[in-house]
């Protein structure tokens, strides 16, 4: 199983939207997908229509060892897409995990119990911070997908994230790499947007995906209906962009047969 963290310590960059819609696009192409909601806000869970009453076991319980990976799995409305949901309990995990042994690789240990052949790929939706939850995701993952909003402050945040990735490589996970940077909330009418996109591409080169995700009202509306944007409005520009991004992402991954 290929494990990818979707991470950016800055909030509001389209991280959860990217996680939901890429997971859906990958499932639609035949990949068996597990999405782990590691954000205490639980937006990925809500965006996939998982109600609070269904979240008996969550990513919090998985990290604390109160349940197994199999216990926490919830099948979504999307065929071949499962989720481990988040609850508000996760907001206290940063403090609680400090007293645990192997506190930085609790998620990695839990994922070792994944049933053989059950999933081809796992996406981890990280919280907008660089605390223990995100560190757990980076230790468990082999690659990171970084959604980056096209604005000036996002560039500063990217620099911090890259420094953190390097520290994780040195101390915990030498195999961790950046799968790609996805430019989100792209607005062609805004000259600053184009300038930021150009600067990021100049700095990072081919690490940046060719596909950009535009600002799109339909993608914003979808979570209130409990479905991904790709299901809410398949033809909108945002959904089409995520389909194109998924194609690019697949092109950077090992073949599914090798990953299973």
């Amino acid at each position: 199983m290929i494990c990818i963290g979707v991470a950016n310590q800055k909030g509001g960059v389209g991280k959860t939207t990217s996680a939901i819609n890429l997971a859906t696009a990958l499932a639609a192409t035949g990949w068996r997908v597990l999405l782990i909601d590691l954000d205490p806000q639980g937006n990925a869970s809500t965006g996939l229509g998982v109600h609070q009453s269904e979240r008996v076991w969550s990513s919090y319980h998985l990290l604390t060892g109160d349940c197994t990976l199999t216990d926490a799995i919830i099948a979504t409305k999307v065929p071949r897409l499962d989720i481990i949901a988040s609850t508000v309990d996760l907001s206290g995990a940063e403090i609680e995990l400090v007293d645990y042994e192997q506190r930085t690789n609790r998620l990695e240990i839990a994922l070792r119990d994944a049933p053989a052949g059950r999933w081809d790929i796992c996406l981890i939706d990280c919280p907008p911070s660089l605390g223990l939850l995100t560190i757990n995701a980076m230790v468990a993952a082999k690659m990171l997908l970084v959604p980056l909003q096209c604005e000036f402050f996002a560039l500063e945040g990217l620099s911090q994230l890259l420094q953190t990735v390097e520290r994780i490589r040195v101390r915990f996970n030498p195999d961790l790499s950046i799968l790609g940077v996805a430019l989100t909330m792209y607005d062609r009418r805004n000259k600053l947007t184009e300038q930021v996109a150009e600067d990021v591409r100049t700095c990072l080169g081919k690490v940046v995906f060719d596909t950009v995700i535009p600002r799109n009202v339909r993608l914003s509306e979808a979570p209130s209906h409990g479905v991904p944007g790709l299901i809410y409005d398949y033809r909108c520009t945002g959904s089409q962009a995520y389909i194109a991004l998924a194609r690019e992402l697949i092109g950077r991954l090992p073949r599914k047969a090798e990953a299973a």
Side-chain angles (χ1 to χ4, degrees), residues 138-203:
M138 289 185 181
V139 173
K142 292 299 181 185
M143 293 169 270
L144 290 183
L145 171 67
V146 183
L148 183 70
Q149 186 179 2
C150 294
E151 64 170 32
F152 173 74
F153 289 120
L155 292 175
E156 291 187 339
L158 179 62
S159 175
Q160 286 181 296
L161 180 64
L162 293 177
Q163 291 174 18
T164 300
V165 170
E166 188 56 37
R167 293 191 191 102
I168 296 295
R169 279 198 195 113
V170 172
R171 296 188 61 186
F172 305 114
N173 185 2
D175 296 328
L176 183 64
S177 64
I178 301 291
L179 175 64
V181 174
L183 298 175
T184 62
M185 301 183 182
Y186 191 87
D187 187 349
R188 297 185 185 281
R189 300 168 299 178
N190 189 329
K191 291 184 179 180
L192 178 60
T193 293
E194 294 185 1
Q195 184 61 55
V196 170
E198 184 179 332
D199 290 347
V200 173
R201 293 188 189 282
T202 300
C203 178

Side-chain angles (χ1 to χ4, degrees), residues 34 37 43 48 59 65 67 102 115 148 171 178 184 192-193 200-201 218 226 242-243 246:
L34 173 64
D37 189 350
N43 291 336
L48 283 170
S59 54
C67 77
Q102 299 177 304
L148 183 70
R171 296 188 61 186
I178 301 291
T184 62
L192 178 60
T193 293
V200 173
R201 293 188 189 282
R218 301 297 277 175
Y242 274 116
I243 292 170

Side-chain angles (χ1 to χ4, degrees), residues 70-89:
T70 305
D71 291 333
I73 296 165
I74 299 173
T76 71
K77 301 172 186 176
V78 181
R80 291 181 295 277
L81 174 55
D82 296 325
I83 188 171
I84 294 178
S86 168
T87 61
V88 69
D89 294 332

